[in-house]
Amino acid sequence: MLLKNNILKFVLSVFCVWSLGCGQDSRDSKNPKLVIAIDATFVPMSFLNDQGDLDGFEVDLIKAVVKNAGFNFELVNVEWGGLFGGLITKKFDLVISSITILEERKNRMAFSIPYLQSGVSVLVRKDISNADSLEQLAEIKATVGAQINTTSYYFLQKYEGINIKTYEKFGHAIIDLANKGNDGVVGDSVQANYYFNKNKELTQNARFLGSRLSSENYGIVMGKGNIELKQKIDASLKELLKNGTVQKLHDKWNLGEFAVVPSSE
Ligand code: ARG
């Protein structure tokens, strides 16, 4: 009886170890599959369409880049706040989510060559008529919203006097603006323009302060140290920049003058 029990325990434990191993190693098998994280709350770059599938400029782009590089892949929808942590702890292999290439970020992760040039734009309530610049918004101690830990947020930190209101999602900052919960919002220009046109309240009650106020490059993000992956992604992206694929997607998603496809040279 005792022997039988021990055999059973042994068989069970071998099975557990084996199945655990399978789960962990599936990504290292002969046919490597890249896990790609993307934040689906940033229309028209990435969002869930009516069928509940990931869709948008960056979804199309990353599929084209990894297929062209010969990888299998799986897309996972991860919120902005979880993207960098998941990459660093190797839950995902790649992240694409309108992420600006910044020197500080390069200490923790690797970036591909740029796939888009964009920048920040500022939306202000129309009834705040005495401010036509961020300096003036600072003077009147305005409350301006931005998504936390984004370049928009860092941009606002340069203006002493502005009361920064942070949001987990860019869309929430926009809804708050429409409800007069803040005086203005800073965001990536493509997305700010999209939400501005989409939300009737905003179109009527808000205005842009100038146009694009900064120049930033978006890159695909990878773990540091995977040089082979970076080389493959860069080579594939370079080819798609050169053969016009990226520009075609820019046209398909109507990114207009708010974002520019970098030259492939
Ligand atoms: N480009 C900005 C940055 O890198 C904002 C990115 C926000 N992306 C997003 N999917 N919510 O900081």
Side-chain angles (χ1 to χ4, degrees):
M1 191 60 186
L2 201 66
L3 186 70
K4 226 180 176 184
N5 260 347
N6 281 339
I7 290 176
L8 194 71
K9 268 190 202 154
F10 176 70
V11 169
L12 268 178
S13 61
V14 167
F15 177 74
C16 287
V17 169
W18 173 77
S19 55
L20 208 83
C22 273
Q24 285 179 343
D25 286 349
S26 59
R27 277 163 61 184
D28 307 332
S29 61
K30 274 184 216 138
N31 217 350
K33 190 184 202 182
L34 294 180
V35 178
I36 306 168
I38 184 157
D39 166 25
T41 64
F42 224 40
V43 206
M45 298 309 213
S46 55
F47 56 95
L48 292 176
N49 63 22
D50 293 341
Q51 287 75 44
D53 296 324
L54 277 161
D55 209 349
F57 170 82
E58 287 171 336
V59 176
D60 283 350
L61 178 70
I62 197 68
K63 284 181 181 168
V65 170
V66 294
K67 274 185 199 160
N68 186 41
F71 289 107
N72 287 324
F73 64 94
E74 180 193 347
L75 290 179
V76 289
N77 178 8
V78 178
E79 280 189 10
W80 175 244
L83 290 175
F84 295 160
L87 185 85
I88 291 162
T89 55
K90 299 199 164 83
K91 266 198 220 150
F92 347 111
D93 305 295
L94 292 180
V95 177
I96 185 164
S97 284
S98 303
I99 299 173
T100 303
I101 304 174
L102 294 179
E103 286 309 313
E104 306 89 89
R105 288 180 179 161
K106 279 190 188 165
N107 295 329
R108 294 185 291 148
M109 42 210 150
F111 284 91
S112 70
I113 55 168
Y115 59 85
L116 209 60
Q117 283 163 0
S118 187
V120 299
S121 291
V122 187
L123 273 168
V124 206
R125 273 168 38 193
K126 273 189 188 156
D127 57 348
I128 315 257
S129 51
N130 53 345
D132 277 316
S133 64
L134 279 151
E135 284 79 4
Q136 287 171 347
L137 282 173
E139 267 165 38
I140 63 165
K141 306 244 180 296
T143 298
V144 184
Q147 189 176 25
I148 185 98
N149 293 336
T150 59
T151 46
S152 298
Y153 172 66
Y154 305 141
F155 187 82
L156 276 177
Q157 286 179 322
K158 289 189 236 150
Y159 295 88
E160 213 177 299
I162 287 187
N163 172 30
I164 309 176
K165 195 167 176 184
T166 57
Y167 301 84
E168 293 293 329
K169 290 183 183 151
F170 178 63
H172 291 169
I174 287 290
I175 292 168
D176 210 21
L177 174 60
N179 293 333
K180 300 196 175 178
N182 59 43
D183 304 320
V185 165
V186 180
D188 288 39
S189 55
V190 175
Q191 297 82 342
N193 182 57
Y194 178 88
Y195 284 90
F196 175 73
N197 289 321
K198 188 90 185 166
N199 187 316
K200 282 205 190 84
E201 294 280 299
L202 273 193
T203 325
Q204 280 165 15
N205 303 324
R207 63 196 164 98
F208 275 102
L209 273 195
S211 53
R212 246 206 296 151
L213 302 186
S214 66
S215 184
E216 303 179 9
N217 286 316
Y218 291 168
I220 301 166
V221 192
M222 294 158 271
K224 261 189 105 142
N226 194 341
I227 292 160
E228 200 187 324
L229 179 64
K230 179 171 157 55
Q231 278 169 350
K232 284 185 179 163
I233 295 294
D234 278 347
S236 170
L237 180 55
K238 197 165 186 184
E239 209 175 303
L240 300 184
L241 284 165
K242 226 177 194 152
N243 71 16
T245 305
V246 185
Q247 186 59 51
K248 268 196 203 125
L249 293 176
H250 178 287
D251 298 345
K252 172 182 169 189
W253 291 100
N254 287 320
L255 303 189
E257 78 273 24
F258 295 98
V260 181
V261 176
S263 91
S264 54
E265 298 319 312

